[in-house]
């Protein structure tokens, strides 16, 4: 009897121990794509499985749990959907407290007893998910060990790449040089389950308004690479999902960048700011400048309160406020430069970042207030005219300083410069008969405005503005008129590289002989595209790249509704609409297509696939329209959507 009691006690002890081990604290995991959520406890009962999720996010920002979140058995693929939640409700916006962290419990049906590990899936793209969560009891949270890249160690890289360039001099006479730049790198801790395998570098030619977006291919082991054409030294961004990493590179160079997945998780958590990567390193000729730009941060214009400033600050007051802030930022940088050794190029780029930021804001103030004035006729501040001396900051810019073009802020700045108020006042009224004269004499008038009203001697910035304008002007001119304008602009500028670009743009727009449709190059991007367009061979096809988050895209789709009605069921013509999961979130996408009759040829692609199409058709911005002929060849890869009805009718001259 005593022996039986002892056995029963032992059995109860085993049962109790087994039950106790079903509570697993801080389980091991292989990989996570979220910097917000961490699974801190798993409790397995007969009735259910309780998964405790600890959230760390921006204080007072909201999070939400969806009932479509699920657990997937890593071995069998069986899915478990939640049957309850504690601490919030499904679909409810729950705002984070001052501390920025909260804990919630998701309740699932009982897991299979044989389950060894599972994936916590918040979305089909892999975003917000945690993979390979172990159901074995552990003490410390661990991640999948990182395998070494085939690039090897940093010492190996030093043997493969050029030595760092001499930073003691600035930019010389070889500033403009067309050559391919090579970006190579390694993302430590990357896993294909991150939900993306590509990134983008949004390169372009700011001299001519041409886009050259380039896909960054990420390999399963974390290697990434991209090659892209540059015309001059350039400071750009690597874009992975919502994360952007700045870098500097020169034509012909190879730059190697080492990144760490932990920084991506922190960037995911701190979405209210441009997160500064902590675990980043560089190798190559421009490594030194990259390290300087990464280390030394400067104060730039903060657009967070821009709308309020527009509505409450008079032009003179806003201008003075920004000039004071610019001076403070310059002084702050000067103090840092006294205490640290920074290359000549590095100093130039840091100073330019400040200048272009605040001067760009002064341009933006004038351009943006027009919109708000049209929306609110009662605001007296918005009614105040821009004073004559508002632009007297322009003489302080060295308009022949080529290093201005390097900054990633130059694109916005030169656009605002080209369309600033005094220049707009110099434009002639357009008529079909005077279009060539409008472009030709328009620049003579702007030259006069610059010299006489703004007290600025036209320099490189003015020449760039002229060259950029040619792309637009050629759309409205005949080949003969276009050639006359191109030669006139060519003769009026001094920079040899700009002269070459001017005549190249004319030749691109009006090639010798009749412009022919072209075949797409074989490759992954074309394969993706053909799957959507090949079913329409035998018809002309207008492809519309768009997004629900793009206002002009939405306007274009609604504006073309009569055209879609006209060609609905046509044996000769079809519309195809392509967007991506990033630009068109599922809820807004479904709502929009249900409210607008866009036909059946609708495609919402993963961002990786959409990136390849951006590169294929060379567009950074949307909407972008591409016209295909009956054989699937490209008639026009930048089709004028604003004039679609007229242009489409030209395809069918015998039909009304």
């Amino acid at each position: 009897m005593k022996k039986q009691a002892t056995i029963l006690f032992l059995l109860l002890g085993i049962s109790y121990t087994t039950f106790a081990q079903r509570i697993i604290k801080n389980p091991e995991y292989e990989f996570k794509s979220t910097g917000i959520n961490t699974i801190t406890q798993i409790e397995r009962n007969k009735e259910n499985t309780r998964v405790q999720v600890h959230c760390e996010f921006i204080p007072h920002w909201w999070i939400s749990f969806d009932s479509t979140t699920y657990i997937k058995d890593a071995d069998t693929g069986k899915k478990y959907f939640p049957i309850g939640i504690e601490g919030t409700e499904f679909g409810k916006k729950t705002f984070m407290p001052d501390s920025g962290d909260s804990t919630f419990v998701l309740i699932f049906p009982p897991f299979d007893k044989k389950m060894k590990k599972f994936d916590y899936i918040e979305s089909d793209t892999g975003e917000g998910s945690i993979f390979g969560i172990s159901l074995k009891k552990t003490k410390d949270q661990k991640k999948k060990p990182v395998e070494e890249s085939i690039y090897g160690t940093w010492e190996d890289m030093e043997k493969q790449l050029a030595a760092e360039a001499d930073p003691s001099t600035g930019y010389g006479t070889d500033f403009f040089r067309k050559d391919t730049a090579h970006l190579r790198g390694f993302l430590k801790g990357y896993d294909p389950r991150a939900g993306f395998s590509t990134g983008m570098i949004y390169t372009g030619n700011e001299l001519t308004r041409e886009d050259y977006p380039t896909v960054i291919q990420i390999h399963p082991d974390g290697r990434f690479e991209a090659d892209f054409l540059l015309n001059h030294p350039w400071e750009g961004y690597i874009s992975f999902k919502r994360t952007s990493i700045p870098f500097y590179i020169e034509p012909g160079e190879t730059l190697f960048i080492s990144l760490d997945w932990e920084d991506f998780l922190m960037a995911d958590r701190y979405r209210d700011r441009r997160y500064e990567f902590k675990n980043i390193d560089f190798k190559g000729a421009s490594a030194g400048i990259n390290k300087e730009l990464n280390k030394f941060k400067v104060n730039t214009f903060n657009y967070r309160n821009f709308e309020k400033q527009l509505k409450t600050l008079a032009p003179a007051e806003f201008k003075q406020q920004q000039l004071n802030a610019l001076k403070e930022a310059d002084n702050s940088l000067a103090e840092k430069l006294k205490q640290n050794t920074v290359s000549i190029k590095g100093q130039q780029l840091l100073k330019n970042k400040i200048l272009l930021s605040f001067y760009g804001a002064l341009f933006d103030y004038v351009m943006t207030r027009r919109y708000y004035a049209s929306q609110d006729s009662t605001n007296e501040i918005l009614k105040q005219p821009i004073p004559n001396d508002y632009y007297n900051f322009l003489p302080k810019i060295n308009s022949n300083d080529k290093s201005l073009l390097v900054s990633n802020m130059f694109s916005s700045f030169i656009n605002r410069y080209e369309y600033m108020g005094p220049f707009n006042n110099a434009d002639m009224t357009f008529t079909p008969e005077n279009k060539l004269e409008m472009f030709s004499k328009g620049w003579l008038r702007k030259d006069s405005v610059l010299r006489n009203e703004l007290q600025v001697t036209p320099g490189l910035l003015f020449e760039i503005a002229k060259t950029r304008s040619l792309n637009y002007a050629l759309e409205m001119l005949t080949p003969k008129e276009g050639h006359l304008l191109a030669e006139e602009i060519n003769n009026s500028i001094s920079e040899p590289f700009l002269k070459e670009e001017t005549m190249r743009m004319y030749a691109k727009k009006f090639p010798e002989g009749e412009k022919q449709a072209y075949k797409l190059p074989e490759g992954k991007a074309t394969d993706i595209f053909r799957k959507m367009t090949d079913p329409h061979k035998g018809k002309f096809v207008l492809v519309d790249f768009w997004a629900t988050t793009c206002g002009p895209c939405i306007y274009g789709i609604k504006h073309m509704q009569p055209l879609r009605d006209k060609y609905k069921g046509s044996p000769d013509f079809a519309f195809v609409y392509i967007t991506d999961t990033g630009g068109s979130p599922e809820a807004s996408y479904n709502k929009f297509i249900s409210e607008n009759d866009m036909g059946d040829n609708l495609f919402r692609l993963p961002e990786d696939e959409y990136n390849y199409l951006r590169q294929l058709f060379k567009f950074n911005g949307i909407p972008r329209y591409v016209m295909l002929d009956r054989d699937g060849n490209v008639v026009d890869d930048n089709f004028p959507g604003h004039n679609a009805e007229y242009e489409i009718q030209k395809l069918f001259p015998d039909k009304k």
Side-chain angles (χ1 to χ4, degrees):
M1 184 71 179
K2 183 177 180 180
K3 184 177 181 180
Q4 289 176 336
T6 302
I7 294 173
L8 179 61
F9 177 79
L10 289 172
L11 288 172
L12 289 171
I14 293 172
S15 176
Y16 176 79
T17 302
T18 303
F19 176 78
Q21 289 179 340
R22 288 179 179 173
I23 297 178
I24 304 169
K25 294 183 178 295
N26 300 320
E28 293 182 354
Y29 64 89
E30 296 173 351
F31 179 78
K32 62 189 297 190
S33 63
T34 172
I36 300 172
N37 298 337
T38 301
I39 293 179
T40 51
Q41 181 172 295
I42 303 167
E43 182 180 348
R44 303 179 69 178
N45 300 311
K46 291 181 179 180
E47 297 79 15
N48 54 49
T49 304
R50 298 166 60 84
V51 177
Q52 183 173 285
V53 181
H54 182 70
C55 301
E56 296 179 88
F57 200 33
I58 305 160
H60 312 299
W61 280 41
W62 61 268
I63 61 171
S64 178
F65 288 90
D66 199 295
S67 58
T68 58
T69 298
Y70 64 90
I71 296 293
K72 184 176 76 171
D73 188 317
D75 295 321
T76 68
K78 182 179 179 180
K79 295 180 180 180
Y80 298 79
F81 289 91
I83 56 177
I85 190 168
E86 295 177 358
T88 185
E89 300 173 11
F90 288 121
K92 178 183 177 181
K93 292 181 180 179
T94 302
F95 291 85
M96 301 299 284
D98 292 341
S99 62
D101 67 281
S102 294
T103 299
F104 308 91
V105 177
L106 288 167
I107 304 170
F108 294 89
F111 289 171
D112 190 305
K113 294 180 180 180
K114 295 181 180 180
M115 186 191 292
K116 298 177 181 178
K117 61 181 179 180
F118 65 87
D119 301 331
Y120 171 83
I121 308 295
E122 279 201 352
S123 67
D124 290 335
T125 63
E127 190 173 355
S129 302
I130 307 173
F131 300 91
I133 302 164
S134 176
L135 287 171
K136 295 180 180 178
K137 191 171 183 180
T138 62
K139 292 183 179 179
D140 300 310
Q141 200 175 54
K142 297 179 181 179
K143 294 169 291 182
K144 183 180 178 181
V146 178
E147 297 179 6
E148 186 180 74
S149 164
I150 66 167
Y151 284 133
T153 64
W154 279 109
E155 288 73 21
D156 296 329
M157 285 303 307
E158 287 182 307
K159 298 175 184 177
Q160 298 176 41
L161 296 176
E164 291 187 19
D166 180 7
S168 61
T169 58
Y171 295 103
T173 56
D174 64 341
F175 179 84
F176 288 114
R177 56 189 191 278
K178 196 182 291 285
D179 203 348
T180 301
H182 311 278
L183 184 70
R184 302 289 182 266
F186 181 53
L187 175 48
K188 294 180 286 188
Y190 171 79
D191 188 295
R193 291 174 291 186
F196 64 95
S197 60
T198 66
M200 292 294 290
I201 302 176
Y202 292 102
T203 57
N205 185 345
E206 299 305 334
L207 308 177
T208 60
R209 294 179 174 275
E210 294 172 286
D211 292 337
Y212 304 122
T214 301
V215 171
I216 306 171
Q217 178 64 52
I218 310 175
H219 298 279
D221 67 351
R223 289 177 297 124
F224 60 85
E225 58 203 12
D227 301 307
F228 46 95
L229 187 67
L230 290 180
N231 291 318
H232 52 74
W234 182 64
E235 185 185 8
Y237 288 97
I238 304 172
S239 296
F240 293 119
K241 282 283 190 178
R242 288 187 297 268
T243 306
S244 296
I245 303 102
F247 69 97
Y248 170 91
I249 196 168
E250 300 197 7
E253 286 186 351
T254 298
L255 177 70
F256 185 89
I257 303 179
S258 173
L259 302 172
D260 195 305
W261 185 251
E262 289 298 320
D263 275 324
F264 281 75
L265 298 181
M266 291 298 100
D268 181 51
R269 180 181 302 173
Y270 299 114
R271 300 182 186 185
D272 62 337
R273 68 203 72 170
R274 186 182 293 279
Y275 176 79
E276 297 175 4
F277 276 46
K278 306 294 189 296
N279 305 303
I280 185 171
D281 204 354
F282 304 90
K283 291 292 181 182
S286 291
I289 295 180
N290 275 283
K291 292 172 183 176
E292 289 174 347
L293 296 177
N294 190 60
K295 177 181 178 181
F296 294 99
K297 305 304 175 185
V298 296
N299 297 325
T300 56
F301 180 75
N302 186 349
Y303 278 88
R304 182 171 296 176
N305 297 316
F306 187 46
E307 182 178 342
K308 180 180 178 181
Q309 291 172 316
L310 279 165
K311 296 178 179 180
T312 58
L313 297 180
E317 187 179 2
F318 177 83
K319 174 189 169 185
Q320 192 58 52
Q321 187 181 89
Q322 303 322 312
L323 292 179
N324 291 341
L326 185 153
K327 186 176 181 179
E328 290 178 10
D330 277 338
N331 291 339
S332 175
L333 175 61
E335 288 300 316
K336 292 178 182 177
L337 295 179
K338 287 179 183 178
Q339 301 169 18
N340 299 274
T341 301
V342 181
S343 68
I344 298 298
K345 286 183 180 179
Q347 291 183 41
Q348 283 180 289
L349 297 181
L350 291 168
K351 291 176 181 178
N352 288 347
K353 189 181 292 289
I354 296 172
L355 180 81
L356 294 174
S357 170
F358 286 103
Y359 279 14
L362 291 174
F363 283 137
D364 277 340
Y365 175 87
V366 179
M367 295 183 71
T368 311
R369 76 195 299 259
R370 297 172 191 161
Y371 167 78
Y372 285 105
S374 68
Q375 301 296 309
D376 183 2
S377 60
T378 64
N379 188 312
E380 295 300 323
I381 291 291
L382 295 174
K383 292 180 181 180
Q384 293 188 27
I386 300 297
N388 294 332
D389 64 350
Y390 182 86
Y391 292 94
N392 64 8
F393 60 87
L394 285 174
K396 299 176 183 178
I397 303 175
N398 179 358
S399 55
N400 285 312
D401 183 3
K402 296 177 181 178
S403 71
L404 292 170
L405 279 73
V406 179
S407 175
N408 49 43
M409 294 186 175
F410 181 76
S411 174
S412 295
F413 175 83
I414 191 62
N415 179 273
R416 307 302 190 265
Y417 177 93
E418 184 180 350
Y419 293 107
M420 64 176 168
F423 280 176
N424 288 337
N425 297 334
D427 283 335
M428 298 171 60
T429 302
F430 172 81
T431 65
E433 293 75 24
N434 78 340
K435 54 187 177 181
L436 178 58
E437 183 184 17
M438 181 189 74
F439 292 118
S440 176
K441 290 189 176 180
W443 282 109
L444 291 176
R445 294 187 180 196
K446 291 174 182 177
D447 183 288
S448 176
V449 167
L450 207 61
R451 294 176 187 274
N452 300 321
E453 295 182 23
L454 302 178
Q455 306 301 310
V456 174
T457 301
L460 180 63
L461 288 179
F462 189 66
E463 293 186 355
I464 292 173
K466 281 186 181 181
T467 307
R468 284 167 57 87
S469 73
L470 184 62
N471 209 347
Y472 169 73
L474 293 177
E475 293 291 334
M476 295 192 286
L477 300 177
T478 65
K480 182 179 180 180
E481 292 170 334
H483 189 263
L484 289 172
L485 181 62
E487 283 196 330
E488 187 172 318
I489 290 178
N490 192 317
N491 293 332
S492 70
I493 58 182
S494 60
E495 172 54 51
F497 190 82
L498 286 181
K499 288 178 175 287
E500 294 174 9
E501 291 296 274
T502 297
M503 300 316 295
R504 181 182 66 80
M505 290 305 296
Y506 170 77
K508 178 182 176 182
K509 177 61 180 178
F510 299 113
E512 293 184 9
E514 188 176 348
K515 188 176 181 180
Q516 301 291 323
Y518 67 87
K519 293 181 178 293
L520 290 171
E522 296 299 323
K524 184 171 184 177
T526 297
D527 291 342
I528 293 169
F529 187 69
R530 282 176 175 163
K531 287 180 181 179
M532 296 175 284
T533 60
D534 273 3
H536 304 289
K537 277 193 173 181
K539 301 180 182 182
F540 286 95
V541 179
L542 180 60
V543 181
D544 183 345
F545 293 97
W546 70 289
T548 59
T549 51
C550 164
C553 299
I554 299 303
Y555 172 81
I557 289 171
K558 293 182 177 181
H559 181 71
M560 288 190 192
Q561 182 63 58
L563 275 178
R564 289 197 297 276
D565 292 339
K566 178 179 179 179
Y567 291 102
K568 191 171 185 178
S570 170
D572 298 307
F573 195 83
F575 290 87
V576 170
Y577 292 89
I578 303 175
T579 187
D580 71 312
T581 55
S584 298
E586 187 172 9
S588 63
Y589 173 78
N590 289 335
K591 183 177 185 293
F592 184 80
I593 64 173
S594 68
E595 294 174 349
N596 295 272
D597 183 11
M598 298 168 63
D600 299 323
N601 307 316
L602 308 176
F603 300 92
R604 181 170 172 264
L605 304 181
E607 290 181 63
D608 286 333
E609 292 188 3
Y610 195 77
N611 284 346
Y612 280 104
L613 298 186
R614 280 188 180 274
Q615 178 176 264
L616 180 64
F617 292 110
K618 299 182 177 63
F619 66 91
N620 288 336
I622 51 176
R624 181 62 167 249
Y625 305 98
V626 174
M627 180 65 76
L628 308 180
D629 66 15
R630 297 181 189 273
D631 296 319
N633 298 324
V634 180
V635 176
D636 191 340
D637 54 20
N638 192 10
F639 182 82
H642 64 279
N643 202 22
E645 184 172 8
Y646 172 74
E647 294 294 333
I648 293 172
Q649 185 59 46
K650 290 196 301 187
L651 302 174
F652 312 108
D654 299 329
K655 298 182 180 181
K656 293 184 179 180

